[in-house]
Amino acid sequence: MKVLITGGAGFLGQRLARQLLAQGRLTDSSGQLQTISELVLVDVVAAHDFGDARVTVVTGDIADGALMRATVDAQTASIFHLAAIVSGQAEADFELGMRINLDASRLLLDICRELGHKPKVVFTSSVAVYGGKLPEVVLDTTALNPQSSYGAQKAIGELLLNDYSRRGFVDGRVLRLPTISVRPGKPNKAASSFASGIIREPLNGEAAVCPVSTDLRLWLLSPRGAIASLIAGHELAAEALGASRTVNLPGLSVSVGEMIAALEAVAGSETAQRISYAPDPAVERIVKSWPGAWDTARAAALGLTADADFASIIRAYIDDVKAG
Amino acid sequence: MKVLITGGAGFLGQRLARQLLAQGRLTDSSGQLQTISELVLVDVVAAHDFGDARVTVVTGDIADGALMRATVDAQTASIFHLAAIVSGQAEADFELGMRINLDASRLLLDICRELGHKPKVVFTSSVAVYGGKLPEVVLDTTALNPQSSYGAQKAIGELLLNDYSRRGFVDGRVLRLPTISVRPGKPNKAASSFASGIIREPLNGEAAVCPVSTDLRLWLLSPRGAIASLIAGHELAAEALGASRTVNLPGLSVSVGEMIAALEAVAGSETAQRISYAPDPAVERIVKSWPGAWDTARAAALGLTADADFASIIRAYIDDVKAG
C-alpha cells in the first residue's frame, strides 16, 4: 500500500509519518488492513526521511500539476492532505492562499478523479470555517461563516471533498481540527500561533507575548491527539460517515487564562510570569471569530476522543521535547 | 453607469435586462442613484438586444479569461452573475459544471479584484446548497450540505463572494433563489424543470409528466418575484447585510399537489388532467434534498417580499404569455 502525505515536512506531517512507519499498516478503502510499502512525503522543502527505505521524499510545489501527476498514481491508496498556507499568511497573501489552499486541493482531487482508483483522502479543516454570531457550543448543523480567507478556502475544500466523495471519485473524510497546542518549534504565521507560543516560549525560559484577552476561549487539541485523530479518521468506514464526510474532531474548551493557570501549575509561577500582554487587533479579530467549543457527539459516536485536560497536554509536550 | 449581466440571453437575464432598461437607473456601490448608460449582455448564445442602443451583446464562453477581461472593465459598476449550468446538467457533466459554475465565477471575481474598482456583484445561489437531514423550516444558521454538484458549486461561489466582499475586492450580495416557477419556454436540464412543466405544458394543451410524489414540498418564487428580488438585492446597502452577504430570498412553500390544485382552480380540471405521474428517481433524489421552506425573517427585515399564493403566480404567468 502506497500512502502520500502533503505537507510531509511540516510538524504534523512528520509526526504522522513517524507514526505510520511505526505502525506499518492502514485500512484501505475496501476495509482491508494493508501493509504500508511506500510512504511519499511531499512538501515545498525536503522532508526528513527517517532513514527508512519505505520513505520517498518529493520536494516541490503541490500546486504544480506536472509534479503532482508524477507523484500520485493509481497505487496511491491513501492521501493525507495536510499542506496549507496558515491563516495569518493566507490573509496577508491572498493569491498564495488561494493557490495552495484551494487550487492545490482541487488539483489533488482531480488527479484522483482522472486516475479513477478512488483512494482514501483525509483533508484537514479547521475551526476557522466558522465565524460571525455563533452559539456557545457549535453544532454539526451550524452554518459555516468564515471570517478569514483561510477559513473560506478550507470551507471550499470541505465542499469539494464531500462532492468528490459523493460522486465516488475519492473516499474522502474531512477532519475539522481544533487549534493545535502545544506545537514545538518557532512561532509561525497562523493567527493562532500564540496558543502554542505562550506555553512553549516560557518553558524554554523565553519571554512570550499574549495578543488576546485572557477570557478568550479556544478549542484545543494536542499534537498527540491530532495524530491519533487523523489516523482514526482515516480508518473509519465510509458508511459510518453518512450524508456528510465532515467530522468536528473532539477538543478541549479552554480560556487563555486557564491555559496560563495550567502552565503555572505544571511549571511554576516564574515560568508563567514570562508572559506579557499586548493586544494585536489583527490576531484578535480572526481568533475571536472561531468557536470556543463544538458539539462532539458525532465524533464520540465514531470513537474519536479528546485530551483529558490542558495540564496533561503541557506535560505531554514536555515529555515529547525531552524525547527529541 | 455600465451594468453587466452574465447569462444575459437566458430567461432571467432577458427579463432582468428588460426591467433595467425600463427603469433606467440603479444605485451604485457608494449609494448614488446612477443612470444606466450601457447594459452588457454576455452569454454563450447571442442575447436579444431589445433594439436598444444602450445594449451591448457579447457572445462567448464566460470561462474564457481573454473574453471576460475584454468585457469587464473599471467602468463596470454592477454585475449580475446569473450564468450557470443547471442542476441536472451539472450532475451529468461534472467538468462542465465545475468550469462554468465555479471557474467562471472565480474568474469574474478575480478580474474585479485585479481592476480594483469594487463593483457591486449579485450572485444567484439556490435551494440546492442545502441537503441531508433538514429542519422543516431552514434557518439562516442551518449548515449547508449540498447533495448535488450544482449545489456544491453554488455553495463554493457563495463562500468566494463573501470572502471577496469581506476583503473589499467586490461589493457582493448572494441571493439564494427559491425554485422559479412558472418558467416559460421548453423543459431544461434542471432537476426542478418539472416545477414549471406541470403548469406550463397543460396550459399549452400539452401533456406533462410529474416525476415526484405530490406531497413533496417546493419552495417557489415567480419569475416576476425573482426579477424584483434581484433588483432589490442589488439596491441594498452593503452595511445592511452585516457579517454575511448571503440572503435567503422569500418564497412560497407549496406541495406539488397544491400546485396542481391551483392549476385546476385557475384553468379547470381538464387542464389539470393533462398531468400524468411517473416517478424519476434521479430527479426525486436531488429535489427531495432541497428545503421545502426557509425562514424569511432576514429577507423581510431587508424589505424583500414573496408572491401572495401559487394561483396568483399561475395567473401572472398567463398574463405574461399573453403579453408576449
Side-chain angles (χ1 to χ4, degrees), chain A residues 196-221:
Chain A
S196 292
I198 58 169
I199 307 300
R200 181 185 59 223
E201 270 69 283
L203 286 171
N204 288 341
E206 297 163 15
V209 176
C210 178
V212 298
S213 72
T214 54
D215 59 356
L216 182 75
R217 291 200 87 74
L218 298 175
W219 183 241
L220 298 180
L221 181 65

mmCIF file of all heavy atoms in Angstrom, chain A residues 196-221:
data_model
loop_
_atom_site.group_PDB
_atom_site.id
_atom_site.type_symbol
_atom_site.label_atom_id
_atom_site.label_comp_id
_atom_site.label_asym_id
_atom_site.label_seq_id
_atom_site.Cartn_x
_atom_site.Cartn_y
_atom_site.Cartn_z
ATOM 1 N N SER A 196 0.327 28.253 21.072
ATOM 2 C CA SER A 196 1.478 27.424 21.446
ATOM 3 C C SER A 196 2.568 28.265 22.087
ATOM 4 O O SER A 196 3.182 27.858 23.078
ATOM 5 C CB SER A 196 2.030 26.698 20.217
ATOM 6 O OG SER A 196 1.105 25.734 19.760
ATOM 7 N N GLY A 197 2.783 29.461 21.511
ATOM 8 C CA GLY A 197 3.888 30.310 21.966
ATOM 9 C C GLY A 197 3.833 30.671 23.444
ATOM 10 O O GLY A 197 4.860 30.679 24.127
ATOM 11 N N ILE A 198 2.620 30.929 23.963
ATOM 12 C CA ILE A 198 2.522 31.355 25.377
ATOM 13 C C ILE A 198 2.852 30.209 26.328
ATOM 14 O O ILE A 198 3.047 30.432 27.522
ATOM 15 C CB ILE A 198 1.132 31.957 25.729
ATOM 16 C CG1 ILE A 198 0.004 30.955 25.454
ATOM 17 C CG2 ILE A 198 0.905 33.273 24.988
ATOM 18 C CD1 ILE A 198 -1.348 31.372 26.018
ATOM 19 N N ILE A 199 2.902 28.984 25.833
ATOM 20 C CA ILE A 199 3.306 27.844 26.671
ATOM 21 C C ILE A 199 4.768 27.483 26.371
ATOM 22 O O ILE A 199 5.594 27.334 27.286
ATOM 23 C CB ILE A 199 2.401 26.617 26.404
ATOM 24 C CG1 ILE A 199 0.922 26.990 26.551
ATOM 25 C CG2 ILE A 199 2.799 25.447 27.308
ATOM 26 C CD1 ILE A 199 0.509 27.507 27.924
ATOM 27 N N ARG A 200 5.078 27.376 25.079
ATOM 28 C CA ARG A 200 6.379 26.875 24.640
ATOM 29 C C ARG A 200 7.534 27.817 25.023
ATOM 30 O O ARG A 200 8.525 27.380 25.609
ATOM 31 C CB ARG A 200 6.346 26.685 23.110
ATOM 32 C CG ARG A 200 7.606 26.148 22.476
ATOM 33 C CD ARG A 200 7.441 26.146 20.957
ATOM 34 N NE ARG A 200 7.169 27.505 20.464
ATOM 35 C CZ ARG A 200 6.257 27.817 19.535
ATOM 36 N NH1 ARG A 200 5.538 26.876 18.960
ATOM 37 N NH2 ARG A 200 6.083 29.072 19.168
ATOM 38 N N GLU A 201 7.366 29.103 24.730
ATOM 39 C CA GLU A 201 8.455 30.038 24.994
ATOM 40 C C GLU A 201 8.767 30.134 26.493
ATOM 41 O O GLU A 201 9.939 30.024 26.879
ATOM 42 C CB GLU A 201 8.153 31.412 24.373
ATOM 43 C CG GLU A 201 8.647 31.600 22.928
ATOM 44 C CD GLU A 201 7.919 30.783 21.876
ATOM 45 O OE1 GLU A 201 8.199 29.560 21.790
ATOM 46 O OE2 GLU A 201 7.083 31.339 21.133
ATOM 47 N N PRO A 202 7.777 30.302 27.362
ATOM 48 C CA PRO A 202 8.102 30.329 28.806
ATOM 49 C C PRO A 202 8.786 29.043 29.279
ATOM 50 O O PRO A 202 9.707 29.103 30.106
ATOM 51 C CB PRO A 202 6.738 30.523 29.468
ATOM 52 C CG PRO A 202 5.932 31.264 28.445
ATOM 53 C CD PRO A 202 6.380 30.696 27.123
ATOM 54 N N LEU A 203 8.359 27.895 28.756
ATOM 55 C CA LEU A 203 9.016 26.636 29.149
ATOM 56 C C LEU A 203 10.480 26.604 28.691
ATOM 57 O O LEU A 203 11.313 25.949 29.308
ATOM 58 C CB LEU A 203 8.265 25.428 28.573
ATOM 59 C CG LEU A 203 6.929 25.065 29.251
ATOM 60 C CD1 LEU A 203 6.197 23.991 28.450
ATOM 61 C CD2 LEU A 203 7.141 24.613 30.701
ATOM 62 N N ASN A 204 10.774 27.305 27.612
ATOM 63 C CA ASN A 204 12.163 27.436 27.124
ATOM 64 C C ASN A 204 12.932 28.543 27.826
ATOM 65 O O ASN A 204 14.039 28.885 27.415
ATOM 66 C CB ASN A 204 12.175 27.740 25.614
ATOM 67 C CG ASN A 204 11.768 26.533 24.788
ATOM 68 O OD1 ASN A 204 11.804 25.401 25.263
ATOM 69 N ND2 ASN A 204 11.402 26.779 23.541
ATOM 70 N N GLY A 205 12.297 29.160 28.820
ATOM 71 C CA GLY A 205 12.954 30.258 29.523
ATOM 72 C C GLY A 205 12.903 31.568 28.768
ATOM 73 O O GLY A 205 13.604 32.522 29.101
ATOM 74 N N GLU A 206 12.039 31.638 27.752
ATOM 75 C CA GLU A 206 11.957 32.856 26.931
ATOM 76 C C GLU A 206 10.674 33.635 27.215
ATOM 77 O O GLU A 206 9.688 33.074 27.699
ATOM 78 C CB GLU A 206 11.980 32.482 25.432
ATOM 79 C CG GLU A 206 13.285 31.811 24.989
ATOM 80 C CD GLU A 206 13.144 31.089 23.658
ATOM 81 O OE1 GLU A 206 12.153 31.334 22.938
ATOM 82 O OE2 GLU A 206 14.023 30.254 23.360
ATOM 83 N N ALA A 207 10.695 34.911 26.851
ATOM 84 C CA ALA A 207 9.503 35.752 27.007
ATOM 85 C C ALA A 207 8.492 35.419 25.913
ATOM 86 O O ALA A 207 8.866 35.006 24.818
ATOM 87 C CB ALA A 207 9.892 37.217 26.914
ATOM 88 N N ALA A 208 7.207 35.586 26.233
ATOM 89 C CA ALA A 208 6.151 35.389 25.231
ATOM 90 C C ALA A 208 5.148 36.514 25.375
ATOM 91 O O ALA A 208 4.932 37.028 26.477
ATOM 92 C CB ALA A 208 5.462 34.050 25.437
ATOM 93 N N VAL A 209 4.545 36.898 24.245
ATOM 94 C CA VAL A 209 3.530 37.944 24.269
ATOM 95 C C VAL A 209 2.181 37.313 23.965
ATOM 96 O O VAL A 209 2.036 36.589 22.982
ATOM 97 C CB VAL A 209 3.853 39.044 23.235
ATOM 98 C CG1 VAL A 209 2.725 40.080 23.198
ATOM 99 C CG2 VAL A 209 5.187 39.701 23.561
ATOM 100 N N CYS A 210 1.203 37.584 24.817
ATOM 101 C CA CYS A 210 -0.165 37.119 24.586
ATOM 102 C C CYS A 210 -0.942 38.240 23.892
ATOM 103 O O CYS A 210 -1.127 39.304 24.472
ATOM 104 C CB CYS A 210 -0.822 36.752 25.910
ATOM 105 S SG CYS A 210 -2.529 36.238 25.693
ATOM 106 N N PRO A 211 -1.405 38.013 22.652
ATOM 107 C CA PRO A 211 -2.021 39.102 21.864
ATOM 108 C C PRO A 211 -3.535 39.202 22.021
ATOM 109 O O PRO A 211 -4.160 40.021 21.347
ATOM 110 C CB PRO A 211 -1.666 38.707 20.428
ATOM 111 C CG PRO A 211 -1.688 37.196 20.458
ATOM 112 C CD PRO A 211 -1.274 36.780 21.852
ATOM 113 N N VAL A 212 -4.129 38.368 22.886
ATOM 114 C CA VAL A 212 -5.593 38.355 23.040
ATOM 115 C C VAL A 212 -5.940 38.446 24.516
ATOM 116 O O VAL A 212 -5.092 38.226 25.389
ATOM 117 C CB VAL A 212 -6.213 37.068 22.439
ATOM 118 C CG1 VAL A 212 -5.941 36.974 20.944
ATOM 119 C CG2 VAL A 212 -5.692 35.815 23.152
ATOM 120 N N SER A 213 -7.214 38.713 24.811
ATOM 121 C CA SER A 213 -7.616 38.820 26.211
ATOM 122 C C SER A 213 -7.684 37.421 26.833
ATOM 123 O O SER A 213 -7.953 36.436 26.149
ATOM 124 C CB SER A 213 -8.958 39.544 26.323
ATOM 125 O OG SER A 213 -9.978 38.701 25.858
ATOM 126 N N THR A 214 -7.445 37.344 28.133
ATOM 127 C CA THR A 214 -7.327 36.034 28.787
ATOM 128 C C THR A 214 -8.663 35.314 28.919
ATOM 129 O O THR A 214 -8.696 34.125 29.219
ATOM 130 C CB THR A 214 -6.686 36.176 30.186
ATOM 131 O OG1 THR A 214 -7.446 37.146 30.917
ATOM 132 C CG2 THR A 214 -5.237 36.611 30.088
ATOM 133 N N ASP A 215 -9.781 36.016 28.676
ATOM 134 C CA ASP A 215 -11.063 35.312 28.754
ATOM 135 C C ASP A 215 -11.481 34.696 27.422
ATOM 136 O O ASP A 215 -12.512 34.029 27.332
ATOM 137 C CB ASP A 215 -12.166 36.236 29.312
ATOM 138 C CG ASP A 215 -12.362 37.470 28.453
ATOM 139 O OD1 ASP A 215 -11.586 37.646 27.470
ATOM 140 O OD2 ASP A 215 -13.277 38.257 28.754
ATOM 141 N N LEU A 216 -10.685 34.886 26.392
ATOM 142 C CA LEU A 216 -10.976 34.263 25.095
ATOM 143 C C LEU A 216 -10.894 32.746 25.230
ATOM 144 O O LEU A 216 -9.928 32.204 25.759
ATOM 145 C CB LEU A 216 -9.965 34.741 24.045
ATOM 146 C CG LEU A 216 -10.192 34.189 22.626
ATOM 147 C CD1 LEU A 216 -11.368 34.875 21.954
ATOM 148 C CD2 LEU A 216 -8.944 34.353 21.775
ATOM 149 N N ARG A 217 -11.928 32.067 24.767
ATOM 150 C CA ARG A 217 -11.937 30.596 24.825
ATOM 151 C C ARG A 217 -11.413 30.035 23.515
ATOM 152 O O ARG A 217 -11.833 30.410 22.435
ATOM 153 C CB ARG A 217 -13.356 30.061 25.065
ATOM 154 C CG ARG A 217 -13.899 30.351 26.447
ATOM 155 C CD ARG A 217 -15.044 29.421 26.833
ATOM 156 N NE ARG A 217 -14.535 28.196 27.441
ATOM 157 C CZ ARG A 217 -14.047 28.125 28.672
ATOM 158 N NH1 ARG A 217 -13.964 29.190 29.440
ATOM 159 N NH2 ARG A 217 -13.607 26.976 29.137
ATOM 160 N N LEU A 218 -10.524 29.065 23.633
ATOM 161 C CA LEU A 218 -10.004 28.353 22.463
ATOM 162 C C LEU A 218 -10.460 26.902 22.522
ATOM 163 O O LEU A 218 -10.756 26.366 23.599
ATOM 164 C CB LEU A 218 -8.466 28.420 22.448
ATOM 165 C CG LEU A 218 -7.847 29.812 22.341
ATOM 166 C CD1 LEU A 218 -6.326 29.724 22.451
ATOM 167 C CD2 LEU A 218 -8.237 30.480 21.033
ATOM 168 N N TRP A 219 -10.507 26.287 21.365
ATOM 169 C CA TRP A 219 -10.894 24.879 21.240
ATOM 170 C C TRP A 219 -9.621 24.152 20.806
ATOM 171 O O TRP A 219 -9.133 24.351 19.702
ATOM 172 C CB TRP A 219 -12.011 24.770 20.211
ATOM 173 C CG TRP A 219 -12.599 23.415 19.980
ATOM 174 C CD1 TRP A 219 -12.610 22.722 18.812
ATOM 175 C CD2 TRP A 219 -13.329 22.600 20.912
ATOM 176 N NE1 TRP A 219 -13.281 21.535 18.954
ATOM 177 C CE2 TRP A 219 -13.735 21.432 20.229
ATOM 178 C CE3 TRP A 219 -13.663 22.746 22.263
ATOM 179 C CZ2 TRP A 219 -14.459 20.415 20.853
ATOM 180 C CZ3 TRP A 219 -14.387 21.735 22.881
ATOM 181 C CH2 TRP A 219 -14.782 20.590 22.183
ATOM 182 N N LEU A 220 -9.063 23.378 21.729
ATOM 183 C CA LEU A 220 -7.684 22.903 21.580
ATOM 184 C C LEU A 220 -7.573 21.386 21.466
ATOM 185 O O LEU A 220 -8.364 20.637 22.036
ATOM 186 C CB LEU A 220 -6.855 23.346 22.791
ATOM 187 C CG LEU A 220 -6.692 24.851 23.016
ATOM 188 C CD1 LEU A 220 -5.835 25.089 24.265
ATOM 189 C CD2 LEU A 220 -6.081 25.538 21.810
ATOM 190 N N LEU A 221 -6.530 20.969 20.773
ATOM 191 C CA LEU A 221 -6.178 19.552 20.673
ATOM 192 C C LEU A 221 -4.657 19.478 20.695
ATOM 193 O O LEU A 221 -3.975 20.322 20.106
ATOM 194 C CB LEU A 221 -6.729 18.968 19.360
ATOM 195 C CG LEU A 221 -6.493 17.485 19.074
ATOM 196 C CD1 LEU A 221 -7.229 16.589 20.090
ATOM 197 C CD2 LEU A 221 -6.966 17.134 17.651
#
